[in-house]
Amino acid sequence: MSFTKIAGTGSYVPQTVFTNDDLKQFVDTSDEWIFTRTGIRERHMTQGETTLDLAYHAAINAIHSAQIDKNEIDLIIVATVTADYAFPGVSQLLQAQLEIEGATAFDINAACSGFLYAMQIADKMIKAGGFHNALIVGAETLTRLTDWRDRNTCVLFGDGAGAMIISKSDTNQITDIITGAQGDTDLLLVCKNPDLKDPHVNAISSQDHIHMKGQEVFKFATRIMPKTVTDLLERNHLTINDLDCVVAHQANQRIIDKSARDLGIDMSKMFSNIHKYGNTSAASVPIAIDEAIRTNFLKKGDRFITVAFGGGLTWGGALITL
Ligand code: UT7
């Protein structure tokens, strides 16, 4: 039986920072409203860097942290809803830019839960015996899909990328991963692709923006995140007291706070960096895990759960010992 572990992590955000006050030039809002309702103070925004660029820098940092030769990577999965092209995928362009010969590479889309889905796929592909070292990346330039006239959504999102090397291991460190979906037929959180084109009209495609029914998404998030953590604990015969910390998707500090209250876990065990980055979708979880490790919030030997929810609607959680 082969096992898996996190061999290294990395992250990268573009340099340009937009504070809540900066957003006042686009919409009627305030730092006070945004911070009290979401916990966000600022976000990073790309000024020309593509999703591939962000993914590349995060990947390089993860490879350094894992201290492996990049040519030992045989699987690359990128979770994103903001790929630079419909095809090729970010993963395949990343493979070329990293000059990793012949690795299997593909993108997946499960919105903000995408990184958990990527972890699960990589974990299972390694445990099944076919692969040794997976580079998985969550990378987004979500500000490209943002409607800068809509104060309900534009204050929430930021750009960034996080990466992880998952490797074959003698010990069972990535213990369990669960994911799930419940098709969003009520269109609570959506961004449409360009319409089908009528060749007789021959018009240029235009891209839609993010639309969200915030309160409904809030209710879904505060139900599904505690449930996912509880499901993981129960099926592994653990209780909340067996965890050293929880690294949740950074969508709204109030969602993190309510999830912690419902789980009965002390807030000091909940990692949070939303004030600096906003919601970076699929990049949120790997950026948070990388930062938790780099700041010593997460230490070698710690047992933690990382959990996310997102558009789709989707969710996922992983029980890991570092
Ligand atoms: O990764 C997935 C992502 N999505 C989420 O996680 C979103 C989950 N939902 C939320 O986080 C919250 O629902 C929001 C932060 C989006 C909104 O917070 P809320 O407490 O649910 O506010 P609300 O939508 O009920 O709006 C309250 C008021 C409204 O004004 P009126 O109708 O009471 O006069 C809004 O128009 O706040 C107004 N408002 C704003 N005011 C200033 C909405 N956005 C803003 C804004 N600045 N940016």
Side-chain angles (χ1 to χ4, degrees):
M1 173 78 179
S2 60
F3 298 121
T4 52
K5 65 176 180 187
I6 296 177
T9 61
S11 58
Y12 178 81
V13 289
Q15 272 200 341
T16 306
V17 173
F18 266 55
T19 65
N20 291 344
D21 281 335
D22 292 333
L23 296 184
K24 289 200 285 196
Q25 61 187 295
F26 309 118
V27 285
D28 178 15
T29 192
S30 66
D31 177 54
E32 202 264 332
W33 191 96
I34 300 171
F35 186 70
T36 52
R37 301 277 178 142
T38 70
I40 300 167
R41 284 274 190 221
E42 57 189 36
R43 70 285 295 139
H44 291 246
M45 288 197 203
T46 169
Q47 304 279 297
E49 282 178 298
T50 65
T51 298
L52 172 64
D53 294 329
L54 307 189
Y56 175 75
H57 291 297
I60 289 284
N61 291 337
I63 291 166
H64 284 157
S65 134
Q67 297 182 307
I68 61 166
D69 177 344
K70 64 181 167 61
N71 292 310
E72 292 174 55
I73 293 168
D74 44 15
L75 174 64
I76 302 172
I77 308 175
V78 176
T80 186
V81 296
T82 47
D84 303 334
Y85 300 92
F87 56 89
V90 177
S91 52
Q92 292 120 24
L93 295 172
L94 185 60
Q95 175 268 330
Q97 198 163 331
L98 289 168
E99 297 178 337
I100 297 172
E101 285 292 318
T104 298
F106 57 92
D107 290 8
I108 59 148
N109 174 344
C112 305
S113 313
F115 193 78
L116 268 302
Y117 273 65
M119 275 187 95
Q120 189 181 44
I121 297 165
D123 179 66
K124 297 291 177 263
M125 286 174 79
I126 294 171
K127 282 178 176 158
F131 295 85
H132 293 84
N133 297 293
L135 164 64
I136 55 170
V137 184
E140 302 282 15
T141 47
L142 221 61
T143 54
R144 288 196 291 134
L145 299 183
T146 303
D147 182 349
W148 291 103
R149 298 156 302 180
D150 177 11
R151 67 177 183 174
N152 292 294
T153 53
C154 78
V155 302
L156 302 176
F157 301 108
D159 300 330
M164 184 181 281
I165 306 288
I166 295 185
S167 298
K168 202 169 168 165
S169 164
D170 297 332
T171 51
N172 190 16
Q173 287 174 247
I174 300 181
T175 314
D176 196 9
I177 305 180
I178 51 181
T179 53
Q182 166 196 313
D184 186 5
T185 48
D186 295 328
L187 305 182
L188 302 185
L189 182 53
V190 293
C191 181
K192 233 167 137 268
N193 264 331
D195 286 333
L196 289 175
K197 277 181 281 179
D198 179 344
H200 301 292
V201 174
N202 206 13
I204 295 169
S205 299
S206 61
Q207 174 67 53
D208 187 32
H209 300 294
I210 297 167
H211 305 271
M212 184 177 69
K213 294 177 186 155
Q215 291 188 358
E216 295 305 312
V217 176
F218 192 97
K219 280 184 219 153
F220 167 72
T222 49
R223 179 180 65 79
I224 205 66
M225 290 223 294
K227 181 180 182 321
T228 304
V229 172
T230 305
D231 287 352
L232 267 174
L233 289 172
E234 277 177 12
R235 69 189 222 173
N236 289 281
H237 313 291
L238 297 169
T239 72
I240 198 76
N241 298 324
D242 295 313
L243 296 180
D244 294 297
C245 91
V246 170
V247 182
H249 171 42
Q250 307 286 305
N252 184 326
Q253 187 61 45
R254 287 192 295 135
I255 294 175
I256 297 172
D257 293 348
K258 173 142 183 25
S259 300
R261 278 198 303 279
D262 291 353
L263 285 166
I265 187 169
D266 197 89
M267 271 313 291
S268 64
K269 290 187 173 181
M270 301 295 289
F271 182 78
S272 177
N273 62 6
I274 189 167
H275 57 290
K276 291 192 286 185
Y277 305 120
N279 179 348
T280 57
S281 184
S284 148
V285 160
I287 291 175
I289 293 176
D290 180 53
E291 203 166 296
I293 292 172
R294 281 190 292 106
T295 56
N296 235 16
F297 188 92
L298 261 178
K299 295 174 273 305
K300 193 98 201 113
D302 279 358
R303 184 196 276 141
F304 72 103
I305 282 180
T306 181
V307 61
F309 71 94
L313 300 167
T314 53
W315 60 90
L319 174 66
I320 300 166
T321 301
L322 201 60

